[in-house]
Structure formats: C-alpha cells, structure tokens
Amino acid sequence: MQKKIKGTNDILPGFLGEGVFVSEFWQRIEEEILNTAGLYSYREIRTPIFENTEVFVKGIGDTSDIVTKEMYTFSDRSDRSMTLRPEGTASIVRSYIENSIMKKEPISRFFYGGPMFRAERPQKGRYRQFHQFGVECIGGDSAKYDIEVISLFWTLLSRLGLKDMELVINSVGNTQSRAVYLDKLKIYFKDKLDGMCKECKDRYEKNILRMLDCKVDGCQDILNAVPSIIDSLSQESKDFFNGVKDGLENLGIPYIISNRLVRGLDYYTETAFEIIHGGIGAQSTIVGGGRYNDLILQSGGNSVPAVGAAFGIERLLLALLDEGVISPVDNEPFYFIVLLDKEMEADAQKILYDLRLEGIPSTESDGSRNMAKQLKSADKSGARFAVFIGGDEWTASSVMVKDLKTSKQNEISFKDSYPLSVLTSFYNKLGVK
Ligand code: HAM
C-alpha cells in the first residue's frame, strides 16, 4: 500500500476525516479569510509554489533555520536549484519587484494562501506540508500599517469565535540599533556559554539573536536575565514601537510585551509579533509576523517599507477545536431524489440535472431500489427534502416532497408545468435551507 509522506496530511470530508483534517472546517476558515480580507480591502496575490532557491536564501536569511535545515531544494532537469516555498513573503517580494508594483500604487495590500513546505520534525501543529494564510502591506512606513495588519488577524480570529488568544509584541529595532544590541548580547553570553545547550552555542556564532528563542530548560535562567532589546533601541525605533502600542490601545486590542520575541526569519525590522494560544501544545504560535523595511531593497528592489504576517490553518483549527467554537460549513443537499418507478430513471436524471443547473443542491440514492433504503440514505445525506419521482401521485401530475426533519409530506401539483418549476418555486419560497 502506498502511504503519504511523513508530515503531510489528507484533508477529507467530515464523514471520513477527523479533527483538524476535515475539509468542511477548512472551508469555514477559508470563507472567513475571504470575508475579512474583503473587510480590510486586501486583494489576492498568487505566486508559484516553487521559486529559484536564491529567492528564499536571500529573503529569509542564510543563517535562519529555514534556509540551513528545512528547505525542500532540488535540481531541475537543467540543473538549476529550485525550492518548494517554505513561506510566502520572499516570493511576494520577488513578484512585487518583478512586476514593478511600486510604480502602480503607493500602498499594496495583498493576501495569499496555500501550501508551504518545511522539512521540520513533525508533531502536533507542525507539519512538512502545511497551509498558510498571510497578508503583506507594502509601501507604508507608519505604525498605522502595523496596527492594520495586527488588527486584521485579530478581527479574523475573533470573527471565527476564538477567545483564548494572546498577542505578544516586541521590537527588534532597525539594523543600526540591532547591531548595538547584538554586541551587548555577545558580551552577556560570552562567559555563560559553557552552561548552555548545543544549539545556543551554535547560534552564538551564527545568529546570536536567535538564542533568545531557545526553549531548553537548562538555558532559561540565563535567557531570562538577558539585557532587554528595548533599552538598546534608537529613539526613532522606540518612538515607532510606542506608536504601535498606542495604536493597539486605541483599538482596544490587548497585548503583552516580550523582549525575548525574536522571529525565526532574518528579515524583520522594528515590530515583531505573534498571536499564541494556550490550548494547542508546544506549537502554540498561531500567527507570526512583523515589519520588514529592508527586504525589498536587499532583494534587488527600491527601499520600500513593509509589514505582514501569516498563520497556519492547521494550528488555527487546533485552537478553534480546542475551544469548541468552529462548526463545519454546510454542504448538505436541499433535495434528495427518491426513485419509485425504475422506468422513470431518465426523468429523475433530467430533473436532477435541471435542479443543479438552477443552483439547487440536490442528490440521489446510490443505486438501491428499495424505498426504505433510499429514505435512509436521504437522512444520512443531510438533505432537507426527499422528492419522490414516480408512484400514483406522479401519474396524477403531482410530486410528493417530504420534509426529512419533520416527516411532513407536501403534495405539489405540477399540472400544466414541468416538475422543475414547482420544485424551484418550493425551494425559493422556503429560502435557502
Ligand atoms: P512563520 O512564523 O515562519 O512566519 O510562520 C507563520 C505561521 O505559519 C506560524 O505561526 C504557524 O502557524 C505556521 N507554520 C509555520 N511552520 C509550520 C509548520 N511546519 N507546520 C504547521 N504550521 C506552521 C512566516 O512564514 C512569515 N512569512 C510571516 C510573515 C509574513 N511575516 C511578514 N509577512
């Protein structure tokens, strides 16, 4: 038997799947993504699932975990290095520059979604193919855009019913003030390294800021006493961070500040933020994002400031299921055709086709000729009404329609008209479901 690749998942309809991997839950989230993106006037951008490896190495940073350990990189038939996208921002920046979008509008507001790929160790909430929804707001250097992005995610999660979420913010400053801080860290950790984990020792050499993200118990005392980045910020960065805090307070979005919040991608400047949830295990970050004022310039474009964020649909669903607040979208049919006379099979097929053409969700039994069995499948399908094709009523030019919730039967005459029109007006009269 062929098996799926470790860390990937099949997402199945509710009667076949379970938990996070039920397609009707995904559709509910996708519905809300489109609603909220619309509320904020963000427009969709779609970029390819693979890019030249360079796009990610330059964008995400060649010392980041993603680039050093987690990318699915392969050579194509002409021996060019390609990579399955591990995230969306680097590709969107590539597209922004390539399509000269900067010349077309001062502020671009994009949203995007789809599968991303990272060769991480799979566990609950962490997969090798996962699905992100993200937004990028490109062109604005004011804190109001950071607030816009954070509030967009806060709105989306709130509209989905999530409650137990926490917004954590920090500033990683601009390149200059960060350099001052990195020097402070070098000095602080220098004589403490012996007591720290292997990864911290590694990061000390390659990407010292990432030491702050270490979760190993034995390192926590040293990390908790680390100098605060905020104290090293330039006045300009401090003012910017205050602007973000004031903006959040103005909207009534609660936040906590964590000076140890440094994100796993190297492109962030100034604001870094996450929305976390206590009920989903070790992988508790649902949304991650921040400002990236240097990335477009570093990727070959002009100096254009930007801010964005993304969440993993799987993690969001874990949180929504933990709180018991998500219900699947309703894909159930309105009519279920029950065939009483075998000779009327062709008529039933035509009515079914016409109903669907009219936009009325309808289905039929899977082959059983026995009426009781057909009605049982009708119940199982979740259909609202059974429509009986054939029988004495039909001969007398009427169609029997049974309400599957109340068992009440309606006999509707279709004398002088085609049965479709009476079924359509019955549907319209009731309103959709
Ligand atoms: P990120 O923190 O790497 O940021 O990922 C954002 C979110 O994607 C995470 O908070 C998590 O919900 C989900 N995620 C990441 N890796 C996995 C995984 N292996 N399995 C399941 N879910 C995962 C970014 O990707 C940035 N591009 C966000 C951003 C946009 N920053 C600015 N603009």
Side-chain angles (χ1 to χ4, degrees):
M1 185 178 53
Q2 301 277 11
K3 293 202 158 184
K4 62 182 159 55
I5 293 169
K6 198 171 151 195
T8 66
N9 297 290
D10 297 320
I11 297 153
L12 303 170
F15 59 96
L16 298 171
E18 57 180 320
V20 169
F21 305 110
V22 166
S23 52
E24 288 86 354
F25 288 145
W26 286 63
Q27 289 166 356
R28 172 71 194 103
I29 291 185
E30 283 155 6
E31 181 179 77
E32 199 48 61
I33 284 173
L34 291 178
N35 283 341
T36 308
L39 290 174
Y40 277 77
S41 296
Y42 277 61
R43 301 280 175 257
E44 189 175 16
I45 181 167
R46 298 187 192 211
T47 57
I49 276 173
F50 65 119
E51 300 267 358
N52 290 314
T53 301
E54 195 63 10
V55 169
F56 303 114
V57 174
K58 268 202 165 157
I60 301 168
D62 53 10
T63 55
S64 64
D65 284 354
I66 294 182
V67 169
T68 54
K69 302 190 247 180
E70 295 168 3
M71 293 204 307
Y72 281 101
T73 297
F74 57 95
S75 296
D76 77 352
R77 287 168 189 275
S78 309
D79 229 18
R80 285 176 294 231
S81 180
M82 316 254 143
T83 294
L84 296 182
R85 64 180 183 193
E87 58 110 49
T89 313
S91 310
I92 286 158
V93 164
R94 193 265 313 134
S95 171
Y96 180 83
I97 299 169
E98 190 174 346
N99 291 295
S100 306
I101 295 173
M102 191 195 153
K103 292 194 196 128
K104 298 173 185 156
E105 54 180 5
I107 307 283
S108 297
R109 292 178 166 88
F110 294 125
F111 78 88
Y112 56 93
M116 308 287 163
F117 306 86
R118 296 184 194 176
E120 296 194 79
R121 199 166 40 78
Q123 64 176 105
K124 182 180 168 192
R126 188 163 70 193
Y127 311 99
R128 292 186 169 169
Q129 175 175 326
F130 59 99
H131 299 77
Q132 271 189 352
F133 159 74
V135 311
E136 310 297 345
C137 177
I138 307 180
D141 63 0
S142 148
K144 80 172 187 182
Y145 299 108
D146 304 50
I147 309 294
E148 178 177 294
V149 167
I150 295 173
S151 83
L152 184 156
F153 282 92
W154 199 259
T155 301
L156 207 167
L157 302 192
S158 304
R159 285 172 59 92
L160 280 166
L162 200 68
K163 294 200 172 60
D164 187 19
M165 56 203 179
E166 199 163 54
L167 169 66
V168 187
I169 59 169
N170 190 22
S171 173
V172 294
N174 55 23
T175 322
Q176 297 88 315
S177 57
R178 192 160 53 240
V180 175
Y181 182 60
L182 298 186
D183 285 343
K184 276 194 194 164
L185 286 185
K186 278 254 156 186
I187 297 164
Y188 174 77
F189 284 125
K190 196 166 190 281
D191 56 359
K192 300 180 180 65
L193 264 189
D194 280 350
M196 300 190 79
C197 70
K198 183 177 171 306
E199 183 135 45
C200 278
K201 287 178 186 143
D202 247 31
R203 286 177 168 170
Y204 182 81
E205 299 302 335
K206 294 189 189 133
N207 191 346
I208 194 164
L209 196 62
R210 294 284 301 144
M211 287 178 78
L212 305 191
D213 199 36
C214 173
K215 306 277 185 304
V216 174
D217 285 346
C219 299
Q220 297 311 305
D221 285 347
I222 300 176
L223 288 166
N224 286 335
V226 86
S228 155
I229 189 165
I230 306 283
D231 298 336
S232 301
L233 294 184
S234 64
Q235 195 51 47
E236 205 186 342
S237 289
K238 277 187 188 144
D239 291 345
F240 192 86
F241 192 49
N242 287 334
V244 173
K245 290 189 289 184
D246 291 347
L248 289 171
E249 278 155 34
N250 181 39
L251 301 190
I253 298 177
Y255 62 85
I256 56 168
I257 298 173
S258 165
N259 293 149
R260 276 183 56 190
L261 177 73
V262 286
R263 312 241 323 108
L265 304 107
D266 291 351
Y267 49 62
Y268 293 109
T269 56
E270 311 293 354
T271 320
F273 75 92
E274 291 185 348
I275 299 176
I276 58 175
H277 192 274
I280 59 174
Q283 301 305 316
S284 59
T285 305
I286 306 176
V287 183
R291 180 161 276 282
Y292 52 95
N293 286 343
D294 301 336
L295 180 59
I296 297 172
L297 184 65
Q298 276 162 15
S299 307
N302 291 14
S303 176
V304 183
V307 54
F311 66 67
I313 293 186
E314 292 85 349
R315 277 193 209 171
L316 172 57
L317 251 176
L318 280 170
L320 292 165
L321 289 170
D322 176 69
E323 288 192 21
V325 290
I326 184 154
S327 38
V329 292
D330 184 0
N331 285 336
E332 285 160 358
F334 188 79
Y335 285 131
F336 187 102
I337 303 289
V338 174
L339 186 64
L340 299 180
D341 292 340
K342 191 167 172 14
E343 304 79 66
M344 295 207 59
E345 172 102 58
D347 301 75
Q349 291 304 310
K350 176 75 168 100
I351 287 172
L352 192 54
Y353 171 71
D354 288 341
L355 285 169
R356 289 165 169 168
L357 210 56
E358 281 295 309
I360 304 174
S362 305
T363 189
E364 61 174 339
S365 136
D366 294 323
S368 175
R369 295 285 158 246
N370 171 306
M371 184 170 79
K373 277 194 186 153
Q374 290 189 60
L375 278 173
K376 223 171 158 185
S377 338
D379 275 332
K380 227 172 131 192
S381 77
R384 193 59 214 285
F385 289 93
V387 176
F388 297 86
I389 309 274
D392 294 343
E393 289 85 3
W394 193 275
T395 318
S397 295
S398 59
V399 54
M400 197 60 123
V401 175
K402 180 181 177 188
D403 187 325
L404 291 167
K405 278 192 193 135
T406 62
S407 292
K408 196 175 155 254
Q409 311 235 32
N410 300 271
E411 191 177 332
I412 314 172
S413 165
F414 59 84
K415 248 188 209 92
D416 310 324
S417 61
Y418 179 58
L420 172 73
S421 57
V422 300
L423 290 173
T424 306
S425 53
F426 183 73
Y427 171 80
N428 289 336
K429 224 169 34 209
L430 284 184
V432 180
K433 294 176 197 178

